[in-house]
Amino acid sequence: MKALTANRLLDGEVVWLGHGDDPQTRWVDTLALARVLETPEDAARALEEGAAAVADRHVVEPYLIDLSQAQSGALVPVRFRERIRAQGPTTRTDLGKQARKHPSAA
């Protein structure tokens, strides 16, 4: 299970490829809304969408991350680095996406 992540060019926000056809809203701010890529073909299509988003200057440096599913059903990045990107700093839980009203489910 994978997702495609990047940084939004406009504000540097960590984003994930979500659902939908609109290039402006296809990239979502929370991992819970990310499109889960189950097959190598899904991942290849996502990378193509990421390359198109780079060419259109919506995001920078898209790449695939590995996900697992917590017992709660929430998507969780496998790598610690990606958990920090999804939530925010581990030493200041009042910062980052975890401090928002609707934090990432990661």
Side-chain angles (χ1 to χ4, degrees):
M1 198 168 22
K2 296 183 181 292
L4 186 69
T5 187
N7 288 84
R8 192 169 35 222
L9 190 57
L10 184 63
D11 57 7
E13 182 76 24
V14 175
V15 291
W16 295 266
L17 181 64
H19 302 274
D21 295 327
D22 183 357
Q24 296 292 329
T25 60
R26 186 177 303 152
W27 294 88
V28 296
D29 290 352
T30 61
L31 182 57
L33 298 175
R35 185 187 315 169
V36 177
L37 309 170
E38 300 281 355
T39 67
E41 292 79 17
D42 291 343
R45 277 192 296 272
L47 286 170
E48 289 175 9
E49 290 183 49
V54 169
D56 292 340
R57 299 182 180 160
H58 294 294
V59 298
V60 294
E61 298 293 329
Y63 60 93
L64 295 170
I65 64 169
D66 293 319
L67 301 174
S68 63
Q69 196 158 25
Q71 289 182 346
S72 66
L75 298 174
V76 180
V78 171
R79 292 187 60 211
F80 186 63
R81 175 185 188 270
E82 297 305 326
R83 289 185 200 159
I84 293 172
R85 289 183 80 238
Q87 295 177 320
T90 58
T91 57
R92 293 275 314 264
T93 57
D94 59 324
L95 299 175
K97 293 178 186 275
Q98 62 197 344
R100 296 179 185 166
K101 189 174 182 178
H102 301 288
S104 172

